[in-house]
Structures are given as structure tokens and as C-alpha cells.
Amino acid sequence: MSETLHTDVLIIGAGAAGLSVALRLAEQHDVTLIVKGSLPGGASYWAQGGISVAVGEDDSIASHIADTMQVGGVLCHPDTVRMCVENGREQLEWLMAQGVKFTQSGSTEDAAPADSNVGNLHLTREGGHSFRRVVHSDDATGAAIQKCLTANALKMPRLKILGHRIAVDLIKDQQGRCVGAYILNESTRQVEVFAAKAIVLATGGASRAYLYSTNPDVASGDGIAMGWRAGCRVANLEFNQFHPTCLYHPNSRTFLLTEALRGEGAVLRLPKNVGVTVGSNAGLNPGSSNDNALGGSRFMLNYHPLAELAPRDVVARSIDAEMKKHGLEHVLLDISHREPEFIKAHFPTIYAYCLELGLDLTKDPIPVVPAAHYTCGGLITDLHGATNVPGLYAVGEVACTGLHGANRMASNSLLECFVFGTAAARHIAQTIHQVTLPGQLKPWDDSQVMESDEAVVILHNWEELRRAMWNYMGIVRTSKRLERAAHRIALLKNEVHDYYSRSKVTRDLLELRNLVQVAELMVRSAQLRKESRGLHFMSDYPDTDPAQAHDTVLEPE
Ligand code: FAD
Ligand code: SIN
């Protein structure tokens, strides 16, 4: 019989959210941090653009709040938005105190005022923001943060970090309190039992539900699915954000071309000789609307006055429309009109990566397509990051705090990870003394199941699920397509359930089970919203209906 492993706080996931909670709590409590795969990982590591904080000369808290609410399609919760925006500076100072190095400005135009605590930081611009507001470490902000925080975490004596562990399910006691979790140890292939006074889900989003995604493999919605099975309420899962500019290249892994490129002047073009130039680019300086040497016409001017810096949902839909209209496999992102030295200095990672593939950012327009990027919905939490299940917290992309509403503004999610990581850590520290550490918990029983003998079935089901989500629950939806998605997902769910109940758990099986669960919740949510708002665009309900200006909440079964 397996022994229960005890810890004060169990944190599942070591991205920006999990590390933020862990670093704050492990000073005074025994904390165990478990992570799928190795460190540093998660979507956090791949963040490029940066963190939005209103520290610019002319910027203000009020403006950052207003932009977030505007992009969020009236669904953002004002108290959450205020809390995140007001705490941005504190989080930035904390990160700098941890040792994260952010890019400094060479000029006054794009810098935070020199007299502020944060020095002379370079601020970049992204879609939806009225000001330069994005603090960054070149074009690899996530890597800079994750490497630094992970190194600090590894030095904390009361923080135990266990890699290659996959949370399978949460454990509740008879009173309905979350008291632990079953965790698959990938090395021993045993399922371990952890008990804790508080459990934090920091497992990230579910964008790998889609065929094309900017996210790493770990983004399989595990926390949302586990929380749902444990009785958490979920909200707004129809709002899946597609990033407009993912590199399109046969020899490339998933690779993002940051929105900051557009913030620094990159424009979107059709391939050369496709379409004709319509509209005017008067007053919008970057690039030209005419064909240049390698790329064709700009098209964003026909869709939105902010052109390439329109909110992300508008840009992704416009690219999708152009690709469908002209039968294209991709469009082009072009920053070649900026000085080569500027491009190399500001985007060294992207420049080097593209060059390896034979694409020179200083000369060539780069082929790009939209890809699933961010899960705006998730487990509903309060302002402490607490879910409706006592003892269970959700922080980061796994959560729905009310910050993003119907559409997340760029670079607001790392901010949310740190602000809510702090809030959850404080709340846990304040309340943990009232909780008794649970005793022995029921061991995992796999005596009735067999070794998984048809791994290929898992692969086929994954592909089928992702394709169905891409085709029927993508950037543009219709009621008919959603019905198709629901039908296919129901069949897959039955198959996966059947397989799961007969087989020993593996990482692939667990991820598939979770993705199918979350995909079902996403489609259910989308079917409830009979309008277009933010990221949810229905061509048979193209208008926004003021009567539906509310969250889509699904109650646990
Ligand atoms: P993650 O960083 O994804 O971490 C999740 C963790 O949970 C991982 O450690 C994972 O291994 C672990 N995990 C998952 N399931 C399990 C399980 N079952 N058991 C154990 N462990 C598990 N946002 C911004 O604000 N600014 C940006 O510039 C930006 N750029 C981005 C660029 C890219 C390419 C991507 C993909 C996203 C970007 N985002 C950006 C979004 C942002 O990075 C994420 O929303 C944020 O990092 C999520 O952090 P997290 O800690 O919630 O999750
Ligand atoms: C990017 O750098 O374009 C991603 C920013 C984000 O997703 O917030």
C-alpha cells in the first residue's frame, strides 16, 4: 500500500504562476512543487513580448484599466482589472529584486521615467495598449524570468521541487475539502498520493486542444479538467485566443513572432501579386501599402483604424479572412523597412531563429499564420485565487479571474500570474494555521487495469480532437460547426473514457483525457453564447448582443 506524502502546500505547475506562489510561501512553509516534464517549462518560458505595467511617462493606471476593459469586450471584472493593474509596479519591483534583467532604454522616448524605482526600462508596444507599456527582456522575456525564478526556487530549503510528475486527479475529503492529489511519477510509473493543507493548480492553459498552437505540449488543460472533475465552477471557455503571427515554415517547430514586432513597426502583407491595395495608410507611418520587393499589399488598414496594432482578435480574424479569400497558406509579416541594427538589437532570438531557417528578418517578409495561443476562461476564482472548492486555489492561465473578459490584452497574462500568485500566497499564509494536515489518504488502485496496449489509438484520438477543434471551433464559428464539434467530441469522450477505465495511466492518456474534457466544456460554452463578442465570432450571429454581456458559467455536475 502506497504511503501518503505530506506537505503544507502542494503546488501543481512551475510556470510563472506556480513559481510565484512557491517563492513567496516557501520562506515559512513546507511547499512541494510538482511539474510535468522538466524545469523551466510551461508557456511562461516561451513568453516573448513582456509584462504590461503602466510605468511610462504619459501612461496611467486609469489608461491601462480602460484599455484592458475595452479589449475585453465588456466582460472584464472591474475589481480584478484594478487589482492587477494597480499591483503591476509592485510585481515588477519584486521581479527585479529576484534578479530578472529587463531591457534598458537607450532613449527617453520609449523609456519609463528615470526617476522611478524601476529605472530607465525600455517599454515596447503591443495591440490594444494606448501607450508603450510592455516591460521586456529583449524578445525572450519568459526565458529570462523562468530561468531566474527557477534558480532562486532551487535554493529554497523548504521548497521541494519534483519534476516528471503528472497530477492525475484531486482528492477531496468527506466535507468536500480538497486535501491532496494523485500524482503519476513518470520515472517509477507509480501513482503517488500527496496530502496538503492547501493545493494550488498552476497548470496553465489548454491551447493544445487545437491542431495549430503557439503553446508547448504541457498546455493540455489538465488543471481545468481536474478542477472541473473535483467540482469547480468554470467560466468563459469559449474565448480561445488565436495569436495572429505564428511562424509558418515546414522545418520549424511551433514558434511565435511577437506582437512587439508590430509594435515596433512590422506590417502584415499578402504574398506578392495576391489581391490589390484598397484603403489608405495615411497617418500610419510604418511600411507602405504598396507591394515591396518581396511582399504584396498591406491589408490591415481595410479592417481597423489601428491596422496591425488592432486588438489581437481583429488581427487574427482579418488574417483568417484574407487567407480564405485568396486561398493562401499564410500571410507575411514584414519589418524589413526598419534598420537592420535595430531589428537585431530588439529581436535577437527571433532574428537568429529565422536565420537558421534561411529567413532574414532584416530583409525578408516572414510567412505567418494564426495559431491557438491563450485560454481566457478557466476555473473561477475570487480575488485570492481561491476556487469554490475549499482548500483549492487556481492561479495563472488555468484560472478565470475576470481580468481578460472576452479577449485578453497582450502581456496582461504574466501580470496576472504574478499578481494572483502573490494574492494566493498571502491568503494561504493567513489561513493555513486553521487547517489540520490530512492523515493517510486512499491509495491509488490500479489492480483492475491493464498496461496500455494501443498507444496508437491515443495518437489518433489526439489528432482527431485537435482537427475537430480547429475546423469547427476555430477563429470563425457557426452554430452548425459547433454542433459538429460537439458530436465528434462526445464520441471521442466515450472512447477515451472506455480506454482510461481499462488502462494504466500514462502521460499521453492523461493529457488526452483532459483535453477531451476541456474541449467539451469549450464547445458547450460556445453553444451558449449566441452572439459575437471578443474572441467568440459566430458568422450566424455576427452582432454583439448587450443582453449577453455576462460570463458563461458552467456549474459542476
Ligand atoms: P505555464 O507557464 O504554462 O506553466 C504550467 C506549468 O504546469 C508547467 O510547469 C507544466 O509543466 C505544469 N503542468 C501542467 N499540467 C500539469 C500536470 N497535470 N501535472 C503537473 N504539472 C503540470 N503572456 C504575456 O503576458 N506576455 C507575453 O509576452 C507572452 N508571450 C507568450 C508567448 C508564447 C509563445 C506563449 C505560448 C504564451 C505567451 N504569453 C504571454 C502567455 C503566457 O506566457 C501564459 O499565459 C503564462 O505564462 C501562463 O503561465 P502559467 O504559470 O499559468 O502556466
Ligand atoms: C507576444 O509577444 O506577441 C505575445 C504576448 C502575449 O501573448 O501576451
Side-chain angles (χ1 to χ4, degrees), residues 59-90:
D59 201 357
S60 64
I61 299 288
S63 169
H64 190 175
I65 291 176
D67 289 347
T68 302
M69 307 278 280
Q70 163 74 26
V71 171
V74 195
L75 294 197
C76 303
H77 298 192
D79 49 353
T80 311
V81 177
R82 176 163 292 283
M83 169 173 144
C84 285
V85 170
E86 283 183 347
N87 281 289
R89 176 182 282 267
E90 178 193 325

Side-chain angles (χ1 to χ4, degrees), residues 73 75 529-533 541-550:
L75 294 197
R529 189 171 289 285
K530 300 198 184 308
E531 61 158 353
S532 291
R533 181 185 297 275
Y541 293 99
D543 298 324
T544 302
D545 171 12
Q548 296 184 52
H550 51 73

Side-chain angles (χ1 to χ4, degrees), residues 162-379:
L162 302 173
H164 300 283
R165 301 290 203 290
I166 304 161
V168 179
D169 261 318
L170 299 164
I171 307 171
K172 292 207 296 187
D173 68 9
Q174 304 239 310
Q175 287 69 45
R177 183 178 178 86
C178 185
V179 289
Y182 293 114
I183 311 280
L184 172 66
N185 179 331
E186 276 194 276
S187 315
T188 63
R189 304 198 53 218
Q190 298 299 308
V191 175
E192 299 162 346
V193 189
F194 281 78
K197 295 179 184 173
I199 290 100
V200 181
L201 289 170
T203 47
S207 289
R208 295 297 291 205
Y210 285 92
L211 193 58
Y212 304 110
S213 168
T214 62
N215 279 227
D217 289 350
V218 291
S220 50
D222 297 5
I224 300 174
M226 282 189 284
W228 172 255
R229 289 194 290 267
C232 288
R233 305 169 75 221
V234 299
N236 292 357
L237 282 166
E238 69 274 36
F239 298 119
N240 313 101
Q241 185 169 71
F242 292 81
H243 196 291
T245 57
C246 185
L247 179 64
Y248 177 86
H249 194 282
N251 300 334
S252 174
R253 60 174 160 82
T254 287
F255 188 76
L256 187 76
L257 293 176
T258 176
E259 194 157 313
L261 279 158
R262 281 175 278 135
E264 300 297 346
V267 295
L268 284 161
R269 296 183 184 280
L270 295 174
K272 197 163 169 60
N273 300 328
V274 173
V276 286
T277 305
V278 197
S280 146
N281 70 340
L284 285 152
N285 201 20
S288 132
S289 62
N290 301 321
D291 284 19
N292 72 1
L294 293 158
S297 347
R298 278 180 76 188
F299 53 86
M300 275 313 300
L301 292 158
N302 303 329
Y303 288 94
H304 198 280
L306 290 172
E308 281 82 2
L309 283 179
R312 206 169 266 185
D313 59 322
V314 177
V315 182
R317 265 199 307 280
S318 309
I319 296 177
D320 186 65
E322 291 294 322
M323 284 171 58
K324 285 187 176 137
K325 185 159 85 188
H326 301 292
L328 303 173
E329 293 193 329
H330 63 81
V331 295
L332 297 168
L333 183 69
D334 182 9
I335 194 169
S336 60
H337 53 278
R338 298 250 15 202
E339 316 71 54
E341 289 324 310
F342 173 88
I343 295 172
K344 288 182 208 167
H346 279 74
F347 304 104
T349 316
I350 297 173
Y351 174 75
Y353 186 75
C354 288
L355 209 57
E356 271 176 35
L357 297 167
L359 296 167
D360 184 342
L361 207 57
T362 66
K363 296 190 186 123
D364 304 323
I366 310 293
V368 291
V369 285
H373 183 64
Y374 187 85
T375 312
C376 288
L379 305 178

